[in-house]
Amino acid sequence: MAATDETGPAGRNTTVPGTPPTAGPPTDPAPRTGARMPRWLPRAMVLALALIAVFQFGSWAFHQLTGLLINVLIAFFLALAVEPAVSWMAARGVRRGFGTFLVFVGVLVVGAGFVTLLGSMLAEQIIKIVEDFPQYLDSVINWINTHFHTELRRVDIQENLLRSDWLRNYVQNSATGVLDVSAQVLGGLFRLLTIALFSFYFAADGPRLRRTICSVLPPARQAEVLRAWEIAVNKTGGYLYSRGLMALISGLAHYVLLEFLDVPYAPVLAVWVGVVSQFIPTIGTYLAGALPMLIAFTVAPWYAVWVLVFVVVYQQFENYVLQPKLTARTVDIHPAVAFGSVVAGTALLGAVGALIAIPAVATLQAFLGAYVKRYDVTDDPRVLGHRGSGGTSAFGRRVRGLWAQRRPEDDGAGPAAGVAGAGAAGSGAAGSGAAGAAGPGEGGTAGAS
């Protein structure tokens, strides 16, 4: 009787007859339901939530502090503008804080005097216009009745205007908006005080601020920061002083015109034109010329036309003659770049961006110009806008090329014609005529024949 190996495959798979088969081990076990999550997953979720919370808080804080950041930016550019004057006084023994105080007091006195003179002039003119308004209205009504055959009367117009719903609603809205106007005025004064305070500290503590910034940077970075700071001071200060000089020249020119036309308040109007036309980009010229035109119109209508013509002519003289010479070493940027920077600054920061756009772009242009490598331009006519060398167009070169391709086909007929002409004129003349008519290549052939 042969022994069987119960431990082998045959012994394990055999069953006793009459007994139910035993279930073998599962070939594809089901996944365990009690498996743990990866250890990194909770940390990743907490980190993601923390990053989202920090981003939301930063976005909220940035929107809340936008006004303060804009004020600090304005103060920084104002400090850069007065930096040359403060440094000049500091180099001559004046303490930097006291020199900054003197500069700010001078700016405040000039600004307050300008606003006071302009306000008094506008108040007197408004009172005069209100007093003379009935006469203006009577003249307009008479002109309408004469040309359109109507029967309008000033009394009827005044009664209809006083009883109109539009005037009643306007008065009610104006009464409710007094508090809003007061709040805006107080907010503007607080903003002006904030800008003045920050700009004073930036200008007075300029060396300390630069030392603090450079203390956290390596030496190579310190040199770059100081260089950028110096360029910003030169460009911003140069922009301010060049604009001030052009404002002085513009004010003197318009004062001569207004005094010649006997327009009232000529000095104040001249100062208005000079300041507004130079320190308000793009639209400053039109705003500056509107007020003198209005005052001149009250004297004589034709005087307003003369003022308009002078403003337009002087603006062209300033753009093409005066401004390039005064700004050649300060903020020499292309007019298209200046206009685009003003538009971009206005879109980003409003009126503030329009004021600081040009010095900011000039600073950036000067800083990048020190690192951009430039090469000599080749003497290619296309650089000057010529389409081809020697003034020949592409069509002319194509025709000349086609003619040069057809000439080898006519080489056989050319010498024959030359020889025929030479037989009639003589053998001596034939050789010279064939050489002259055939050209350099064909002359050798004619000589050989």
Side-chain angles (χ1 to χ4, degrees):
M1 183 175 178
T4 59
D5 188 6
E6 296 181 356
T7 61
R12 289 195 302 267
N13 295 332
T14 56
T15 56
V16 180
T19 60
T22 59
T27 59
D28 189 10
R32 292 178 298 174
T33 58
R36 297 179 179 179
M37 68 175 61
R39 294 181 178 180
W40 57 267
L41 186 58
R43 297 179 181 178
M45 295 177 62
V46 172
L47 181 61
L49 293 176
L51 291 177
I52 294 175
V54 169
F55 176 78
Q56 293 292 337
F57 177 77
S59 177
W60 172 81
F62 178 78
H63 285 87
Q64 294 295 325
L65 298 177
T66 300
L68 178 61
L69 295 177
I70 293 177
N71 294 337
V72 172
L73 182 63
I74 299 173
F76 179 72
F77 273 94
L78 288 179
L80 293 179
V82 302
E83 177 76 18
V86 175
S87 299
W88 180 83
M89 287 189 291
R92 282 156 179 80
V94 181
R95 295 185 58 182
R96 193 173 184 89
F98 184 69
T100 306
F101 175 75
L102 292 179
V103 172
F104 273 79
V105 168
V107 173
L108 180 62
V109 169
V110 172
F114 172 71
V115 172
T116 302
L117 292 176
L118 185 63
S120 61
M121 182 205 66
L122 290 178
E124 293 182 6
Q125 289 297 318
I126 291 174
I127 293 173
K128 182 179 178 181
I129 291 174
V130 171
E131 292 177 351
D132 297 340
F133 182 76
Q135 298 179 2
Y136 295 149
L137 186 59
D138 289 337
S139 62
V140 172
I141 291 174
N142 292 332
W143 184 83
I144 294 175
N145 292 333
T146 303
H147 290 79
F148 296 97
H149 305 287
T150 57
E151 296 181 356
L152 297 177
R153 293 188 307 172
R154 178 164 57 90
V155 179
D156 297 337
I157 296 176
Q158 290 178 352
E159 290 180 357
N160 294 330
L161 182 62
L162 293 175
R163 295 177 182 178
S164 61
D165 296 333
W166 173 82
L167 182 61
R168 188 181 301 107
N169 294 331
Y170 178 77
V171 172
Q172 292 177 357
N173 295 331
S174 300
T176 56
V178 171
L179 295 177
D180 297 336
V181 173
S182 302
Q184 292 179 0
V185 171
L186 293 177
L189 292 177
F190 178 76
R191 183 178 182 181
L192 184 61
L193 180 61
T194 303
I195 293 173
L197 184 63
F198 274 106
S199 59
F200 178 83
Y201 282 120
F202 285 154
D205 293 340
R208 185 183 303 176
L209 179 61
R210 288 190 288 269
R211 189 180 297 109
T212 303
I213 295 176
C214 292
S215 64
V216 297
L217 297 174
R221 298 297 181 185
Q222 293 179 14
E224 299 298 332
V225 169
L226 294 177
R227 183 175 184 177
W229 196 295
E230 183 180 2
I231 291 175
V233 169
N234 294 334
K235 293 300 178 180
T236 306
Y239 171 76
L240 179 64
Y241 300 141
S242 61
R243 287 291 173 177
L245 183 57
M246 286 191 294
L248 178 61
I249 298 174
S250 176
L252 291 176
H254 287 83
Y255 170 74
V256 172
L257 173 69
L258 297 174
E259 193 69 27
F260 176 76
L261 296 178
D262 199 14
V263 177
Y265 306 102
V268 181
L269 291 175
V271 174
W272 163 265
V273 172
V275 173
V276 175
S277 62
Q278 300 303 324
F279 291 97
I280 297 182
T282 308
I283 61 174
T285 303
Y286 309 103
L287 293 178
L291 184 59
M293 288 176 56
L294 179 62
I295 303 301
F297 184 82
T298 59
V299 178
W302 283 106
Y303 286 1
V305 177
W306 285 113
V307 172
L308 176 61
V309 171
F310 183 82
V311 168
V312 173
V313 172
Y314 180 82
Q315 185 66 27
Q316 302 305 317
F317 168 76
E318 181 182 282
N319 292 337
Y320 294 100
V321 178
L322 187 62
Q323 184 174 352
K325 293 182 179 180
L326 293 179
T327 61
R329 297 183 180 181
T330 54
V331 286
D332 187 16
I333 59 179
H334 195 274
V337 177
F339 179 75
S341 63
V342 170
V343 173
T346 305
L348 293 175
L349 299 176
V352 176
L355 291 175
I356 66 176
I358 294 179
V361 171
T363 302
L364 181 62
Q365 179 180 347
F367 184 73
L368 295 179
Y371 298 95
V372 176
K373 187 177 181 180
R374 298 185 181 274
Y375 302 92
D376 294 334
V377 181
T378 59
D379 295 333
D380 195 323
R382 290 172 292 183
V383 176
L384 301 177
H386 298 163
R387 298 183 61 186
S389 59
T392 305
S393 62
F395 178 75
R397 291 196 301 270
R398 185 175 299 177
V399 171
R400 188 173 59 183
L402 294 175
W403 177 256
Q405 293 178 2
R406 293 185 59 185
R407 284 183 63 184
E409 300 176 359
D410 299 336
D411 287 345
V419 172
S427 58
S432 61
E442 298 170 348
T445 306
S449 61

